[in-house]
Amino acid sequence: NLEQHASNIAAIREVALEGGFSIPIVQDLQGPKLRTGVLPPPGKIELDDGQLIELYTGPGDAPEGAVPVDYPNMSRDVKPGNIVLLADGTIELIVEKVEKELVKAKVTSGGILGSRKGINVPDVKLSIPTLTEKDIEDLKFGLEREVEAIAVSFVQCAEDIEILRNHITQFNHRKRCPWIIAKLEKPAAIEVLDEILEASDGVMVARGDLGVEMSPEKVPSIQKEIIHQANESLKIVITATQMLESMIEHSRPTRAEASDVANAVFDGSDALMLSGETAIGQYPVKTVQTMDRIILDAEAHNKRWGYRAADNSIITTDDAVATTHAAQALALDRDVSAIAVFTRSGRTARLMSKVRPQAQILAFTPEETTYHQLGALWGVKPYLVPMAHSVEEMIDRIRQAALAHGTIKPGEQIVLVSSLPIGAMGPPNFAHLHTIQ
């Protein structure tokens, strides 16, 4: 409930403040969840292969023998030949006929069906709003708590992102808006991935629902395509779901899970997300520690096996992108200790991160929201510093913070990336080679 969420947010903020950590909080809006209704006692039925069943989408009690469904528009959205999956895909039906409020289907893969089980309809664009009334109330709560990002479920098109953005604009009273992360759970979203990337700040590869909505063998290649397109579009990409699933009940992951986590790093993910492993698992802390070790080992071999950004000779009409590519080339040529970016919105750090430079990226910002958001970016070490009003002040802020944290030693060189005029929140337009005094 909201009180528990408020308590968790307060705890995260306290830990971040005490430890000097940048910890972005992503609020995951639940979105509409299609479910079966309550079945008569004993609350479950057995469905056999070849059996004919009816799904009732209307109001009131379902006719005797029919399975109630809490989605009224289902009988209008589905057509004969469509596949309907129940209970996270463990039961499969094929629609044979639709009559008013009844969807008549044949069981092609049976099993035990209980009350309030999930329904998936692959390859059908459902006429259902992305945001429910509960989502809107939860969104207000998250904005009041100043979360750094909002993840929106059930995205089917770019318009779903714009609807959420309009609500955020209406309710948000901060200087900075949270990032919008589109959760890619429906095949329909993959078909318009370019448009969704354009509309959002980032995407999440939500493999759980994707694996139900499409054949499991397709998910690995879809994951790679999403990550590749997100990086090419210079957007954030999070890989999620079932990464260390066995650690819900066991203290060690399977070797396949370890490979899965490492390959998500090699693919070019900005961040990886645990779900049930830390929400309901028996070993939540050990799971995080395990994932951390796998990520660190993968990063140590990233130069050989990992994602490579586009070549520096890429032709671009975006001055900001050209500046970050120039900074990477300069950093490589001079073998600098770090690339330091001064940013207020976080865009310069994100663009620099997407170049995947070999030098570490140090991001300096006077904005607290930006400081926490930067923690979600690949290879970025954020610092919260006072505002600078000149290049000299900017260099001094960087020097003080870097020396205090032992990140850079006197005499080492950095490449500074920022925008002129200072403080105008413009795109990065200069790269400066500097020796730390």
Side-chain angles (χ1 to χ4, degrees):
N1 58 42
L2 295 183
E3 289 75 18
Q4 290 170 318
H5 286 307
S7 175
N8 287 336
I9 289 172
I12 293 167
R13 298 296 192 210
E14 184 179 353
V15 168
L17 183 63
E18 289 179 356
F21 302 132
S22 163
I23 304 180
I25 296 176
V26 183
Q27 179 184 12
D28 186 356
L29 298 180
Q30 178 177 305
K33 182 68 174 177
L34 278 61
R35 295 184 184 277
T36 59
V38 177
L39 297 173
K44 59 183 179 181
I45 57 174
E46 183 173 353
L47 300 178
D48 298 319
D49 291 2
Q51 178 181 344
L52 297 177
I53 71 163
E54 294 180 341
L55 305 177
Y56 176 66
T57 65
D61 295 334
E64 185 177 353
V67 175
V69 171
D70 68 359
Y71 177 44
N73 290 349
M74 185 173 178
S75 56
R76 288 185 289 184
D77 289 345
V78 300
K79 297 178 176 58
N82 288 153
I83 301 296
V84 177
L85 302 173
L86 306 178
D88 293 329
T90 58
I91 298 172
E92 182 178 303
L93 319 174
I94 185 167
V95 177
E96 293 202 334
K97 194 174 183 180
V98 179
E99 293 181 352
K100 295 184 179 179
E101 296 166 338
L102 286 176
V103 176
K104 299 185 177 182
K106 178 186 286 187
V107 179
T108 54
S109 181
I112 303 295
L113 177 66
S115 300
R116 307 298 299 160
K117 294 300 180 182
I119 302 173
N120 294 83
V121 191
D123 303 322
V124 174
K125 186 172 182 180
L126 301 174
S127 55
I128 188 169
T130 302
L131 295 179
T132 64
E133 291 183 10
K134 177 183 183 302
D135 291 328
I136 293 173
E137 291 304 311
D138 289 344
L139 174 63
K140 293 177 184 177
F141 168 85
L143 293 172
E144 289 170 359
R145 298 305 187 284
E146 300 189 353
V147 297
E148 280 70 45
I150 306 288
V152 55
S153 302
F154 207 74
V155 172
Q156 298 187 90
C157 60
E159 185 183 359
D160 295 335
I161 304 297
E162 295 306 326
I163 291 171
L164 173 60
R165 197 176 294 280
N166 290 337
H167 280 295
I168 291 175
T169 302
Q170 179 183 351
F171 302 134
N172 187 54
H173 302 295
R174 290 183 285 167
K175 291 185 294 182
R176 296 289 322 288
C177 285
W179 284 334
I180 295 178
I181 306 295
K183 295 175 65 181
L184 302 177
E185 303 162 295
K186 299 282 293 179
I190 308 303
E191 294 174 8
V192 290
L193 180 57
D194 286 346
E195 296 171 20
I196 291 174
L197 283 166
E198 179 68 26
S200 62
D201 298 293
V203 293
M204 181 187 296
V205 190
R207 304 180 309 173
D209 280 291
L210 270 180
V212 172
E213 294 267 348
M214 60 176 58
S215 301
E217 67 270 14
K218 294 182 179 179
V219 175
S221 56
I222 292 290
Q223 171 178 315
K224 289 181 182 294
E225 183 61 29
I226 293 170
I227 295 172
H228 174 75
Q229 287 198 40
N231 283 320
E232 292 296 299
S233 302
L234 308 175
K235 298 299 177 77
I236 302 152
V237 55
I238 303 168
T239 301
T241 323
Q242 296 181 329
M243 303 215 77
L244 295 174
E245 183 83 353
S246 68
M247 291 194 73
I248 292 177
E249 297 180 353
H250 303 284
S251 62
R252 291 171 64 87
T254 67
R255 306 303 181 267
E257 288 169 336
S259 294
D260 177 50
V261 172
N263 279 312
V265 174
F266 294 144
D267 286 346
S269 303
D270 284 292
L272 309 183
M273 195 179 90
L274 293 162
S275 306
E277 301 95 331
T278 47
I280 60 171
Q282 297 182 36
Y283 304 96
V285 175
K286 185 170 285 189
T287 303
V288 176
Q289 292 169 336
T290 299
M291 177 175 266
D292 181 51
R293 289 196 302 270
I294 298 169
I295 291 172
L296 287 173
D297 189 79
E299 291 285 3
H301 298 88
N302 212 33
K303 186 176 179 180
R304 182 174 185 184
W305 304 113
Y307 164 77
R308 291 175 176 82
D311 188 82
N312 285 333
S313 61
I314 185 172
I315 297 174
T316 176
T317 57
D318 190 326
D319 290 347
V321 174
T323 301
T324 55
H325 279 279
Q328 181 207 26
L330 182 58
L332 190 62
D333 183 64
R334 302 306 301 157
D335 192 25
V336 301
S337 297
I339 297 174
V341 300
F342 205 93
T343 179
R344 293 183 65 185
S345 69
R347 182 169 186 260
T348 302
R350 175 165 54 84
L351 294 179
M352 199 70 246
S353 170
K354 290 302 174 181
V355 175
R356 287 295 202 271
Q358 292 185 25
Q360 60 182 327
I361 304 169
L362 310 179
F364 300 84
T365 181
E367 307 288 344
E368 188 169 353
T369 297
T370 300
Y371 168 70
H372 286 300
Q373 286 178 330
L374 292 173
L377 301 180
W378 178 92
V380 173
K381 169 69 175 173
Y383 295 88
L384 187 62
V385 297
M387 181 63 195
H389 301 281
S390 67
V391 174
E392 290 77 16
E393 269 192 8
M394 190 188 304
I395 291 173
D396 189 57
R397 299 276 189 273
I398 293 170
R399 185 184 65 82
Q400 289 183 32
L403 291 176
H405 290 84
T407 313
I408 305 173
K409 299 180 177 62
E412 293 182 337
Q413 287 187 313
I414 63 168
V415 172
L416 169 62
V417 181
S418 188
S419 63
L420 292 175
I422 304 299
M425 291 191 74
N429 56 16
F430 86 94
H432 171 69
L433 182 65
H434 179 76
T435 302
I436 297 294
Q437 303 299 320

